[in-house]
Amino acid sequence: MVALVRLRTPLALLGAAVLVLVGPPLLTTGSGAESGTQIPGLRFMVPNTPGGGYDITARTAAKNAEDAGLTHTVEVFNLPGAGGTVGLSRLVSEHGNGKLAMSMGLGVVGAVRSNDAPKTLADTTPIARLTEEQDVVVVGKDSPYKTIDDLIGAWKENPGKLPVGGGSSPGGPDHLAPMLMARAAGIPPKQVNYIPFDGGGELLASILGGKVAFGVSGVGEYLDQIKSGELRLLAVTGPERVAGLDAPTLQESGYDVNFTNWRGVVAPPGLSDTERDKLVRLLEELHDSKEWQESMERNGWDDAFLTGEKFGAFLDAEDKRVVSVLKELGL
């Protein structure tokens, strides 16, 4: 019996040595540990309803980060209300929570202003701007409006009777874009009957149901419905046509509008430098991954990556721009 024990001991030591040599690569390969991007228990808050641009962006980012091995089991949850300011207030209340981030964009900037929200984006920790995208002008497949000129011609005759729906509060992208369209068409913006929805998901049902004459939202939110024929795309709001979509820009249609939206990520206030840098590093690695690059192309998103203090300065400039445009439009 003693001899047997002595025989097992060298074998056990050899096995342990093999595990030491083999173990670390098995544990770290593809795990995000090498670049320090692992954030166990990370949660992404979406401050509007499922199906909208913030929701699509957050869920795409979470899945791509997991597929790329940068971090694991990211939870995405929705906390809608007041154009994103309910979620913003929750985020700000989570002082020092390095495991929480919020998907957001120009819509939240506008909602803070239009709702006179007590908490602003200046109260958050800026992490990164991710994407930029054009808005689309769409109608249901049974709409009488076949072209952007058809729509705007009818709109000019009686602006109040042609409600336009958008997935953001006044001051957000889906509100500013049709207001700029109206001004370019000679329609006083104050006469526009704008109906806000809490995200593109809620807006879609009203477009398809004919409750609004037309809708304005991000291109990535309605690609599937446009390609399936459920929605008719009349125009895009940016400087160039969107690849793969058969629709003119507003500018080439004779309406002087050049407008794009953007989306990014902010975190609670009070993060340590280490916590903030880890979130930034995660999004930097995500940005460089093939998974994210493929998602951007598939969703019609343009790369607009910007991190940290530069993103913070951009947020401040966007707040000033929203105020300026609303004043300029008399709103």
Side-chain angles (χ1 to χ4, degrees), residues 87-96 119-121 123-124 267-269:
L88 176 61
S89 293
R90 163 71 180 278
L91 186 82
V92 173
S93 73
E94 295 276 346
H95 189 278
K119 302 299 182 182
T120 74
L121 290 164
D123 297 314
T124 69

Side-chain angles (χ1 to χ4, degrees), residues 206-222:
S206 290
I207 300 173
L208 295 176
K211 294 181 180 178
V212 294
F214 66 105
V216 177
S217 193
V219 60
E221 297 179 61
Y222 292 158

Side-chain angles (χ1 to χ4, degrees), residues 245-323:
L245 297 180
D246 183 20
T249 67
L250 288 169
Q251 284 186 328
E252 71 179 274
S253 302
Y255 307 101
D256 189 16
V257 176
N258 181 354
F259 182 85
T260 55
N261 185 19
W262 56 268
R263 295 195 177 90
V265 175
V266 293
L271 267 58
S272 68
D273 290 347
T274 299
E275 289 171 323
R276 182 199 61 217
D277 292 348
K278 198 162 193 177
L279 281 167
V280 170
R281 190 159 56 247
L282 171 61
L283 293 181
E284 286 175 338
E285 295 287 333
L286 172 68
H287 169 261
D288 293 339
S289 70
K290 67 178 181 62
E291 289 84 357
W292 180 252
Q293 295 297 321
E294 289 169 356
S295 291
M296 284 200 299
E297 182 176 356
R298 185 169 56 251
N299 286 296
W301 296 337
D302 295 322
D303 193 356
F305 196 63
L306 191 68
T307 62
E309 292 181 1
K310 291 182 179 179
F311 179 41
F314 171 79
L315 289 177
D316 184 58
E318 284 294 272
D319 180 56
K320 291 180 172 65
R321 180 169 78 102
V322 166
V323 172

Side-chain angles (χ1 to χ4, degrees), residues 137 145 262 313 329:
V137 183
Y145 309 116
W262 56 268
L329 292 172

Side-chain angles (χ1 to χ4, degrees), residues 25-51:
L26 290 175
L27 291 171
T28 59
T29 299
S31 69
E34 301 93 333
S35 57
T37 58
Q38 283 286 346
I39 306 177
L42 178 62
R43 306 177 78 211
F44 261 120
M45 182 199 304
V46 177
N48 62 9
T49 54

